Amino acid sequence: MKWFIYQIIFLFFCSTVLKAQSQVSGLVQDRGTRKAINYVDVFNVNNKEQTTTNAKGEFKIKASLNDVLLFITPGYKTDTLLLTNLNPLRRYLEKATNLLNTVTVTNNQTL
C-alpha cells in the first residue's frame, strides 16, 4: 500500500514539473505596417531563456504562467509582457522615433 501511495505522489510531482516547463510561441510585427519583424530578441526574465524571431517574425520560448517576456530590437521600443496564459502570442512593436532639433550650418569664412 505504501508503494502505491509513493507512486501516486511521484506521478503528481512529475506532472507538475512537466506542466511548469511549457513553451509559448508567437509572432512579432510592426505596429504601423503589420509586417513581421525578424531578429527580435525575446528574453524570459524569470528563467533567463532567450531566443530570436525568424524571418517570418515567429518565435518559441520556454515559459510558465506569470513569467515576464521582453521584446528587444534596434529601432523599436522595448516591449514587456506578463504571461497570463500560454496561448500563441501576437506582439506589435512601436518604432522608436527620436526627433532632433534643427541644426543650421553657416560659413563665416570669406575666400
Side-chain angles (χ1 to χ4, degrees), residues 42-77:
V42 182
F43 182 71
N44 186 327
V45 175
N46 299 80
N47 66 12
K48 308 301 185 224
E49 288 284 327
Q50 184 173 1
T51 190
T52 304
T53 59
N54 63 16
K56 297 178 183 177
E58 301 166 333
F59 70 92
K60 288 183 182 179
I61 192 167
K62 288 182 183 176
S64 301
L65 290 177
N66 298 318
D67 280 2
V68 175
L69 299 182
L70 291 179
F71 298 85
I72 305 168
T73 193
Y76 289 87
K77 293 181 180 179

Side-chain angles (χ1 to χ4, degrees), residues 2 18 26 31 33 55 63 70-72 78 86 91 98-99 111:
K2 278 186 174 182
L18 290 175
R31 178 171 284 169
T33 65
L70 291 179
F71 298 85
I72 305 168
T78 299
L86 298 177
R91 300 305 299 166
N98 295 326
L99 299 177
L111 294 175

